[in-house]
Amino acid sequence: MRITKHEHACLRVEQEGRLLIIDPGGFTLPLDDLHGLTAVVLTHEHPDHWTPEHLERLRRHAPDVPVYAPAGVAAAGAEVTVVAPGDTATAGPFTMTFHGGRHAVIHESIPVVDNVGVLVNDEFYYPGDSYALPKHADIALLAAPVGAPWLKIGDAMDFVLAAKPRRAFATHDMTLSRIGLDMHRSRLKWATEQHGGEFVALDPGDSVEM
């Protein structure tokens, strides 16, 4: 698999000429080169993780593409296949299992929405806006949130320590300045290395091969 980081929380997963898009939201530039689009995953309903404009553009390229998302996204008006923690979906070469269930708490005054993390082909994991982890998973590559209204860097470090990935990179980063991003990346790098893993610094457009 080849994983490419786009702006903020959007991820592109490619295998065997097929394409999976995760969380194309409002901080992400319009996506191109969508040949082989096979599936879309939306982890939750917040607009930095999906927009109607992105979905419309994706469906113009692949009208029948399945879009997997929790019930909250459907309630927000998106036409999706609803998934919940414990579900499995297969599209082309991608087998996706879904984990967690709830968004991390931002503040007691803000409702907590549905959120699913996604494990792709038992190797690549992205938790959406949560610290949920698959049980008993051997994570080859982790996309770890690094900046958000709900995130404290110590909690993000503990998440990486618990995941014990062989490799990791930082995502969910558009809320950070360049100085803040570099500082937070260094913390996640330390956490990744505590169990012998490697941290990879990816900017939008950068990729990592598995």
Side-chain angles (χ1 to χ4, degrees):
M1 284 192 297
R2 178 184 178 92
I3 289 82
T4 301
K5 184 192 183 309
H6 290 278
E7 294 84 7
H8 197 52
C10 184
L11 305 167
R12 173 190 298 253
V13 185
E14 297 170 275
Q15 184 167 318
E16 299 174 9
R18 309 293 286 276
L19 175 63
L20 165 67
I21 296 291
I22 302 173
D23 279 0
F27 298 154
T28 302
L29 295 175
L31 300 170
D32 56 13
D33 190 16
L34 296 171
H35 178 75
L37 181 61
T38 300
V40 178
V41 170
L42 310 176
T43 61
H44 63 283
E45 65 197 72
H46 289 160
D48 59 325
H49 291 257
W50 82 281
T51 66
E53 293 77 14
H54 270 300
L55 275 192
E56 180 182 352
R57 190 176 296 111
L58 293 172
R59 282 180 163 139
R60 282 202 300 268
H61 283 270
D64 298 323
V65 66
V67 179
Y68 302 102
V73 179
E79 183 181 342
V80 300
T81 298
V82 172
V83 292
D87 288 348
T88 298
T90 299
F94 305 111
T95 297
M96 298 154 283
T97 59
F98 300 95
H99 306 271
R102 302 297 281 168
H103 192 287
V105 174
I106 301 171
H107 185 263
E108 62 182 11
S109 66
I110 299 173
V112 177
V113 301
D114 295 333
N115 178 93
V116 289
V118 59
L119 179 65
V120 182
N121 293 347
D122 290 325
E123 292 186 301
F124 171 54
Y125 184 63
Y126 167 59
D129 281 11
S130 79
Y131 297 125
L133 281 170
K135 293 181 180 178
H136 314 302
D138 180 14
I139 298 172
L141 179 65
L142 175 70
V146 71
W150 49 269
L151 185 149
K152 183 175 75 173
I153 194 59
D155 293 338
M157 292 166 69
D158 285 340
F159 169 70
V160 175
L161 288 168
K164 301 178 184 178
R166 295 198 290 280
R167 283 191 291 175
F169 66 93
T171 189
H172 206 287
D173 52 12
M174 288 289 281
T175 60
L176 297 175
S177 68
R178 185 73 236 184
I179 292 172
L181 176 59
D182 289 343
M183 181 176 67
H184 284 203
R185 278 178 174 173
S186 71
R187 301 300 186 188
L188 297 192
K189 180 177 185 291
W190 176 89
T192 304
E193 292 173 346
Q194 297 314 295
H195 295 286
E198 175 192 9
F199 184 84
V200 183
L202 299 183
D203 291 319
D206 290 346
S207 301
V208 59
E209 300 277 354
M210 296 182 62

